[in-house]
Structures are given as C-alpha cells and as structure tokens.
Amino acid sequence: MAFWKTLRRKGGGALPGDIDCEAVTARLYEYIDGELDDPQTVEKIRRHLDLCKLCFPHYDFEKAFLRYISEHGRTSAPPELKRRIFKAILEEESRD
Amino acid sequence: MGEDSARKQREFEREALAHLDTLYNVALRLTGSAPDAEDLVQDTVTKAYGAWDKYERGTNCRAWLVTILRNTFINQYRRKSKRPTPVEFETVQDVSVFEALQDRDPSGTFFRFIVDDEVKRAIQELPEEFRIPVVLSDVEGLSYAEIAEALELPVGTVKSRLFRGRRRLQQRLYEYALEMGYIG
Ligand SMILES: [Zn+2]
C-alpha cells in the first residue's frame, strides 16, 4: 500500500490548505520543480506544507534528494574533447 | 574564411557549443562508456553544424541538440551496442523512501555519505526511459517542456517518467546506504 494512504486523514476534518496529503504527495515534485500551472494549487500546497506535520518533512526530504542529485550526478566533458570539437569546427569552415 | 562562415562559426560556438557539457552528460548516460560518449558528442556536433541553417533561431537550442544526439544514438550506437537492455522489474514500487526513513533519517542526511561514483552508477542502472529524463531534469536542469521537446514526448509522459525515475533512484540509493551502514 502506498504510504500516503496510511496517512490520509479520515472523517473529513479540516484539511490544511484545503487539500489532502495524498493530493499534495502526488504533486510534490511538480511543486518543487516550479512546474504547476495553476497558481491556486501552488498556494494550496504551500499552505498545506506550512501546517502539515506529515507532508513538510517529506517535502524537505525530496528537496534534499534532488539537491544531492544535481550536485553529484554531473560529469563534465573532458577538456580534450572540447578542444577537438572546436578545432574540427574551425577546420570545417576553412574548407569552404 | 568568408565573413558568412566566420559569423556562422561564432554563432554556433556561442549558441550550440555552450551546451557541450550537457551533451556529454547525456551521451555518457546513454552509452554508458566515456569513449562512446565522446564519439557520440562529436558526431552530434558535426551533424548540428551541418544542419545549423535549419535550426530555427530563437527556439530552444539545447533541446534541439539533445534531439540530434538521441536520434544519432538510436540510429548508430544502440544497434552496435552489445549490452543487454536493463531488465524491467515489475516488483519495483514507485514509493518514496521517505516512508521507510521518516523515523530514522527524515532529512535525508544519508545522501551526504554516498560518493559521486555511486550516484552515477545508480543513475546508469535506471531503465533508459527513466534515466534520460532524470539526467535532463535533475542533473542538467531542463524544464519539463524542454525535456518533452528534446525527447519528442508529451509533457505528461515526461512528468510520470520523472516521477517514477526519481523514486527508483531514491530506492536504489537507499538500499546502497543500508548496505553500507550509512543508515542506522
Ligand atoms: Zn499533509
């Protein structure tokens, strides 16, 4: 069972931000990525995260994960490859 | 050298070659080998330079280049590659490891102990359909729309592949951290 199902509030009590944990979890990445089109949804999630003891740490965790990937997943092109490519473009042109 | 070709060269360097690192990263994750990645980038740049007149000015150059790179890979490299395609495990659950961790390490401090090589290996082990969106988004910082353009996919597909790819990557790193004793 997906974990957020175990966290879903029962009984229709007041939901922080008028959005439930499941809906927040499903849109968490889009929220972090700044890819949600609807400003109202963004605002609802923001308010939910401010108040929800379950979702805020999850949000924090996902952000830590994404920051970690962006800082450690990259390999730069070898300088020798760059030199070779710039040289090839130069030679291509002088042939014209 | 004529004035036109000098201008073309300058423009190409400024607009296209600025993205060499991105191209190399994607090539590396597609081929899984540094020498193949170098060849693939060189082929891509040569093709892009030849087609530079067809590049629509003002559109997304990075996405245009990634499309060329990916098509070149599909047409030339994958065919000769002997590596088996990664097995798709149906049992992989696309759940956040946060669920398993929330009592022990809710802020994900264990990530700090995982070395770069291990992250890169974990990315490499993702099925290609998830791997490339993750690299483009989380390593290279492309937007969903840019990724959709580069991979010629609907934005909704990019979104769901990214979601599932990230969850799998997390799961893999979590398992590794458990093995290594980074999580108590
Ligand atoms: Zn919540």
Side-chain angles (χ1 to χ4, degrees):
Chain A
M1 181 161 68
F3 81 98
W4 57 83
K5 291 193 179 129
T6 64
L7 302 182
R8 192 193 294 159
R9 278 147 212 272
K10 300 203 169 70
L15 296 168
D18 283 325
I19 185 167
D20 66 22
C21 296
E22 188 176 353
V24 170
T25 302
R27 291 173 181 79
L28 204 47
Y29 282 140
E30 286 166 82
Y31 178 79
I32 294 170
D33 294 334
E35 294 272 1
L36 285 165
D37 296 328
D38 177 20
Q40 267 188 310
T41 309
V42 174
E43 184 54 23
K44 278 182 181 180
I45 294 176
R46 197 189 59 76
R47 277 190 289 139
H48 184 100
L49 291 174
D50 275 349
L51 297 166
C52 183
K53 289 192 180 69
L54 305 170
C55 292
F56 186 76
H58 184 192
Y59 164 71
D60 235 18
F61 177 84
E62 296 293 351
K63 275 210 312 194
F65 164 67
L66 293 175
R67 199 180 319 122
Y68 174 74
I69 298 302
S70 78
E71 285 168 3
H72 299 270
R74 199 162 217 261
T75 310
S76 292
E80 181 46 37
L81 174 69
K82 294 188 180 180
R83 267 197 296 276
R84 221 184 320 141
I85 285 174
F86 276 87
K87 197 164 156 267
I89 299 295
L90 267 172
E91 280 166 6
E92 186 111 353
E93 273 315 316
S94 48
R95 230 180 285 139
D96 289 354
Chain B
M1 195 190 301
E3 206 175 295
D4 277 356
S5 59
R7 192 182 303 122
K8 176 185 173 188
Q9 188 192 313
R10 272 201 308 275
E11 190 187 35
F12 187 77
E13 284 179 5
R14 193 180 59 236
E15 302 285 323
L17 296 188
H19 302 298
L20 268 186
D21 278 327
T22 298
L23 291 178
Y24 182 73
N25 243 307
V26 178
L28 193 58
R29 294 302 153 236
L30 275 171
T31 61
S33 109
D36 281 352
E38 291 199 22
D39 288 349
L40 177 54
V41 170
Q42 194 140 27
D43 286 353
T44 302
V45 170
T46 306
K47 275 188 197 174
Y49 195 64
W52 190 238
D53 293 337
K54 282 179 230 142
Y55 165 66
E56 226 176 289
R57 300 301 183 270
T59 62
N60 193 314
C61 190
R62 184 162 58 164
W64 182 73
L65 291 165
V66 172
T67 305
I68 297 174
L69 183 130
R70 191 173 154 274
N71 291 341
T72 306
F73 172 74
I74 290 169
N75 294 329
Q76 292 171 22
Y77 288 76
R78 188 182 281 161
R79 212 175 286 162
K80 69 179 185 191
S81 157
K82 289 192 193 83
R83 285 176 307 108
T85 45
V87 181
E88 186 70 22
F89 292 106
E90 280 306 316
T91 50
V92 174
Q93 295 255 314
D94 296 320
V95 295
S96 173
V97 300
F98 177 72
E99 172 193 15
L101 267 176
Q102 50 185 325
D103 297 326
R104 285 173 292 164
D105 187 4
S107 45
T109 48
F110 78 88
F111 287 125
R112 270 185 249 147
F113 299 109
I114 302 176
V115 294
D116 289 16
D117 281 355
E118 196 52 41
V119 181
K120 288 168 187 164
R121 181 163 31 234
I123 293 174
Q124 198 62 45
E125 284 170 6
L126 289 172
E128 190 184 302
E129 62 187 291
F130 300 137
R131 192 194 318 140
I132 303 308
V134 165
V135 169
L136 290 174
S137 165
D138 301 344
V139 181
E140 295 301 329
L142 273 69
S143 70
Y144 295 1
E146 278 183 283
I147 299 169
E149 192 184 332
L151 303 182
E152 298 169 295
L153 291 170
V155 172
T157 307
V158 169
K159 209 184 290 181
S160 72
R161 289 190 185 179
L162 206 47
F163 186 94
R164 300 179 65 196
R166 285 168 170 178
R167 288 286 164 92
R168 282 169 193 231
L169 183 57
Q170 235 174 40
Q171 189 67 36
R172 182 71 197 83
L173 293 172
Y174 170 61
E175 283 162 11
Y176 174 77
L178 280 178
E179 266 169 45
M180 299 298 285
Y182 298 153
I183 301 167

